[in-house]
Amino acid sequence: MPTQEAPTPDISDQLADVWANFKSLTGVSEIKKLMDAPHQWLMEQPVIQGLLNHPNVKPILDWLEAAENVKMFPVLIAQCGTAFLETSHGINRAYNSKAYSNLAGAGEAALSAVTSTSTEKGIYGDAVNAFNDSLNLPELSKTGVKINYAVDSAWTSINQKKLQMQEEARKLRDKYYKELQDERLKLNDRRRTRAKYNNVARSLVAMGDKPIPSPKVQRQRKSGTGSRTVIGHNMYDINSIYNDRILSIRSIKVDASALVIVPIVTPIVAVGGALATVGITAGIISTIANWFLGSCMNLVGMPATLIPALAHCVTSIVLKVSGSAGAQALRFFAASALKTNEALLMTVFGTSNMNVTAWMFLIAMAAPILLVSIVIILAMRTKNKVTFSHFYLLAENEKYPGFAYASIQNADDARIEFAKMKKDLLDLANVDYSGIYGVGIEVENGKPEVKGGFNLATDTPARMSSADAKKALEDFADKHSVSIPLGAWRPV
């Protein structure tokens, strides 16, 4: 009797509260529909297909098709969908906020205030793992892969939704206008109706309609000396009332180094302790996101100056799904990037005078944002096992260099083997080493070939390319007159 597969988690059930909270906002149903068939949606994306069909990229990213990752797709995409909606909503609030004149400064202050807990340090390690190992970004960036991803239809989508909202707003405006013309409308009711009218009218003016002031109403009032004409008229200014704070940050003391963007040409040398800040973690994730959105993907129809806003949105989603307290701070950076380029955005107001310009833009760009977020999170959770047959440990010291060699059958992950060798060396050493490296070698056609290695200077090993590992081994051998190989090329 054939075994039945476990049912796919019902995304609708998992996100019921989210849909309820956001049901009044345009575009939510499209995001929900996007996630109804998560595995199919992700693997059929042109970017994923282009990466996995590229001969130099597939060996790096083949883990995307691993069974254990495929099993994660439904739940992970549901989590990312939830985080995307909440993040987009938060960015829209920050975009409209009057509480901060310097949104980027608010983001820096928020990042600097996050404590580096054990959870945050774990997320930092995962980000380094994604950069150095799972994605191997230094090597991936050298492949020259470039995949067209048309997003020009997003502007059409925004415009269509804007036209729909304008039409609804005009109907409401006309309804309130007619009510205000009724002289029987009592004072308090008139005030409430006029406020509703002005809200709708403001949103229409902001979206390009000509201003139509609320109607004048004349009433004749008798007095002892005759009559007096009272004219009810209320002009208005364009002004969003949606200015809630998204964080209770009182101080905007800026730490300019809070968000640390890293270069992609070399692996990251991991740091430990208090140096592993949330700002550094966010910088690593932002670097990965920027590479995917700006270098790997050719976002046809997207002004390049808006890409940082998408990257910050991705970073916020990744941090939120990972459990980092830094997620909210990145919303300020995204809002700042959008505010700087507001002339490129299509202004959209809701009927309640809520400025939804940022929300509509991000919803229209949901597909690339979600795609990159999911890939980064999968990369952070994927721990690629690296194995070698021959191991060199090189410890740099001008007078007393240290080295160790091991040839191991059925070796464990190279990180574990090198960690053991490093511990044994340091237990015996009475000098300080300026650098410690692990170099892995395989024998091919009877000749030793360097296959990679790790910078072991910190508790989190940083992956080295085969070229860098080979250079480290040769430089060490030349400097200290050490012959290579340092042992027999056969397992012991």
Side-chain angles (χ1 to χ4, degrees):
M1 183 177 180
T3 57
Q4 291 185 337
E5 293 185 0
T8 301
D10 189 334
I11 305 304
S12 298
D13 290 343
Q14 293 186 30
L15 304 181
D17 291 341
V18 175
W19 307 135
N21 290 339
F22 295 112
K23 64 183 179 181
S24 62
L25 293 174
T26 304
V28 174
S29 58
E30 286 93 328
I31 305 304
K32 181 176 181 295
K33 185 178 180 180
L34 204 70
M35 298 183 293
D36 282 344
H39 178 258
Q40 180 181 2
W41 174 79
L42 181 63
M43 300 311 292
E44 289 184 356
Q45 287 291 305
V47 174
I48 297 297
Q49 291 184 347
L51 290 170
L52 294 179
N53 289 331
H54 193 288
N56 296 326
V57 174
K58 184 174 176 60
I60 299 175
L61 301 182
D62 57 357
W63 48 265
L64 274 171
E65 299 176 291
E68 57 268 27
N69 283 334
V70 171
K71 289 179 181 177
M72 283 195 283
F73 287 169
V75 173
L76 176 58
I77 293 178
Q79 291 174 331
C80 287
T82 305
F84 169 73
L85 292 174
E86 294 175 347
T87 299
S88 299
H89 189 246
I91 292 171
N92 193 75
R93 294 175 69 178
Y95 182 87
N96 294 326
S97 177
K98 295 178 180 177
Y100 308 105
S101 58
N102 181 358
L103 289 169
E108 296 281 10
L111 271 183
S112 299
V114 178
T115 304
S116 184
T117 63
S118 58
T119 298
E120 300 292 357
K121 291 175 183 176
I123 297 170
Y124 166 78
D126 290 343
V128 171
N129 170 72
F131 188 101
N132 288 349
D133 296 334
S134 303
L135 294 172
N136 195 357
L137 198 58
E139 293 301 314
L140 186 61
S141 62
K142 295 175 185 176
T143 63
V145 62
K146 193 77 172 180
I147 302 166
N148 287 338
Y149 195 105
V151 295
D152 47 350
S153 61
W155 304 107
T156 303
S157 173
I158 296 173
N159 189 53
Q160 288 175 344
K161 290 183 174 66
K162 176 181 177 179
L163 292 175
Q164 292 172 4
M165 297 177 80
Q166 280 180 305
E167 188 61 31
E168 293 175 7
R170 287 172 186 142
K171 289 178 181 178
L172 271 178
R173 179 194 61 191
D174 294 345
K175 174 179 176 291
Y176 296 141
Y177 192 96
K178 187 175 181 180
E179 291 178 7
L180 288 170
Q181 287 180 312
D182 188 347
E183 294 184 4
R184 296 170 296 177
L185 196 63
K186 295 181 179 179
L187 183 60
N188 288 336
D189 292 337
R190 181 173 297 279
R191 286 173 178 168
R192 285 190 289 267
T193 303
R194 192 182 300 280
K196 293 177 183 178
Y197 176 88
N198 287 339
N199 282 341
V200 178
R202 288 190 190 106
S203 69
L204 284 168
V205 171
M207 289 189 283
D209 277 20
K210 292 182 179 180
I212 301 178
S214 55
K216 301 177 181 179
V217 178
Q218 295 185 347
R219 292 193 184 96
Q220 297 296 325
R221 294 176 56 184
K222 293 182 179 180
S223 66
T225 58
S227 63
R228 180 163 54 98
T229 301
V230 179
I231 300 177
H233 179 58
N234 185 15
M235 293 299 291
Y236 50 83
D237 296 320
I238 301 171
N239 178 33
S240 171
I241 61 171
Y242 197 63
N243 57 7
D244 306 273
R245 293 170 179 258
I246 71 170
L247 281 177
S248 57
I249 300 176
R250 299 292 188 269
S251 172
I252 308 297
K253 181 181 179 182
V254 178
D255 176 1
S257 63
L259 182 65
V260 182
I261 304 300
V262 297
I264 64 173
V265 293
T266 58
I268 294 170
V269 178
V271 297
L275 294 177
T277 64
V278 179
I280 293 178
T281 303
I284 294 171
I285 297 170
S286 290
T287 301
I288 299 172
N290 270 300
W291 181 81
F292 272 107
L293 293 165
S295 297
C296 173
M297 299 163 68
N298 179 27
L299 296 178
V300 181
M302 165 68 72
T305 54
L306 287 172
I307 290 177
L310 302 186
H312 290 316
C313 183
V314 167
T315 304
S316 181
I317 292 169
V318 172
L319 290 174
K320 186 172 183 62
V321 173
S322 301
S324 172
Q328 295 220 23
L330 268 295
R331 298 177 185 181
F332 283 109
F333 289 106
S336 177
L338 291 176
K339 203 73 175 175
T340 301
N341 295 281
E342 61 183 333
L344 299 175
L345 301 177
M346 195 175 300
T347 302
V348 186
F349 272 68
T351 54
S352 64
N353 196 34
M354 182 175 76
N355 187 339
V356 292
T357 299
W359 167 270
M360 295 298 293
F361 171 73
L362 295 171
I363 289 292
M365 299 297 166
I369 290 172
L370 281 169
L371 174 63
V372 176
S373 300
I374 292 164
V375 170
I376 294 176
I377 293 170
L378 283 171
M380 290 172 66
R381 296 180 180 181
T382 297
K383 304 295 189 289
N384 290 337
K385 184 176 181 179
V386 181
T387 58
F388 305 119
S389 297
H390 302 272
F391 300 79
Y392 280 106
L393 187 74
L394 316 173
E396 185 59 58
N397 181 284
E398 290 295 327
K399 290 186 177 180
Y400 306 106
F403 63 81
Y405 166 77
S407 178
I408 307 171
Q409 275 188 332
N410 301 318
D412 206 332
D413 186 274
R415 298 174 186 82
I416 297 175
E417 299 293 355
F418 279 129
K420 294 176 183 176
M421 295 173 70
K422 175 183 174 182
K423 182 179 184 303
D424 290 342
L425 177 67
L426 294 180
D427 285 346
L428 296 172
N430 56 6
V431 297
D432 293 328
Y433 296 112
S434 59
I436 303 178
Y437 304 93
V439 178
I441 292 176
E442 295 288 349
V443 177
E444 296 180 349
N445 299 321
K447 295 182 179 180
E449 295 288 342
V450 175
K451 291 298 182 181
F454 292 90
N455 186 327
L456 305 170
T458 66
D459 293 336
T460 305
R463 186 85 173 266
M464 298 172 67
S465 67
S466 56
D468 290 341
K470 183 178 181 180
K471 186 176 187 303
L473 182 62
E474 291 175 345
D475 289 349
F476 185 89
D478 291 342
K479 182 177 181 178
H480 301 292
S481 301
V482 177
S483 62
I484 299 176
L486 299 175
W489 293 110
R490 61 178 185 276
V492 296

